[in-house]
């Protein structure tokens, strides 16, 4: 019912920027809550930034002030603008979606029903 397709990953030098996009196909209800997660080799998948169609957003402490998540309700595209990237940001980045969640959002991967294929972000020092 829901398909998520990420794009925009790549390799950049430390201090550079990337903009990730996630095109969502599905109902607005099924994709009411959306977010970006990342996973580095040998580490757990972690929430980076989440948003819902009511305009609420939240960020992991490690990316506050550097990353901006935007959910375009009209185009059904989720964006992640990443500035001042560092090697610690290197990971596979995944787009995820869920129906409305209690509390408005979640950083728990298990709460999200749909996932994209991932896009690799590599930051060199």
């Amino acid at each position: 019912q829901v398909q998520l397709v990420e794009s925009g990953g790549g390799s950049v030098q430390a201090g550079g920027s990337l903009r990730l996009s996630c095109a969502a196909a599905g109902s607005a209800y099924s994709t009411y809550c959306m977010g970006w997660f990342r996973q580095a080799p040998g580490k757990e998948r972690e929430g980076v930034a989440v948003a819902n169609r009511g305009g609420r957003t939240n960020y992991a402490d490690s990316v506050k002030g550097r990353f901006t998540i935007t959910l375009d309700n009209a185009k059904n595209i989720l964006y992640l603008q990443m500035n001042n990237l560092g090697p610690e940001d290197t990971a596979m980045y995944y787009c995820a979606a869920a129906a409305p969640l209690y509390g408005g959002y979640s950083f728990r991967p298990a709460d999200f029903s749909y996932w994209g294929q991932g896009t690799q972000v590599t930051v060199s020092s």
Side-chain angles (χ1 to χ4, degrees):
Q1 183 180 9
V2 174
Q3 286 188 316
L4 306 173
V5 181
E6 302 105 324
S7 62
S11 298
V12 297
Q13 296 183 23
S17 298
L18 284 173
R19 190 192 195 197
L20 306 183
S21 299
C22 173
S27 70
Y29 176 83
S30 295
T31 60
Y32 185 83
C33 300
M34 299 190 69
W36 291 98
F37 296 77
R38 66 187 181 187
Q39 187 168 23
K43 299 184 67 177
E44 295 183 355
R45 187 169 299 187
E46 63 176 356
V48 177
V50 294
N52 66 31
R53 294 182 183 271
R56 186 174 181 180
T57 61
N58 206 356
Y59 299 86
D61 288 340
S62 60
V63 307
K64 287 181 179 177
R66 299 189 297 123
F67 291 9
T68 302
I69 187 171
T70 304
L71 178 54
D72 188 324
N73 289 325
K75 295 183 178 181
N76 294 318
I77 300 177
L78 182 73
Y79 299 99
L80 185 67
Q81 179 66 47
M82 305 186 295
N83 297 326
N84 194 25
L85 287 162
E88 68 274 13
D89 298 311
T90 295
M92 184 73 73
Y93 283 71
Y94 297 91
C95 175
L101 297 170
Y102 182 81
Y105 70 93
S106 175
F107 274 99
R108 298 177 63 249
D111 288 337
F112 288 79
S113 301
Y114 309 101
W115 293 85
Q117 81 289 348
T119 185
Q120 179 68 37
V121 172
T122 302
V123 185
S124 59
S125 60

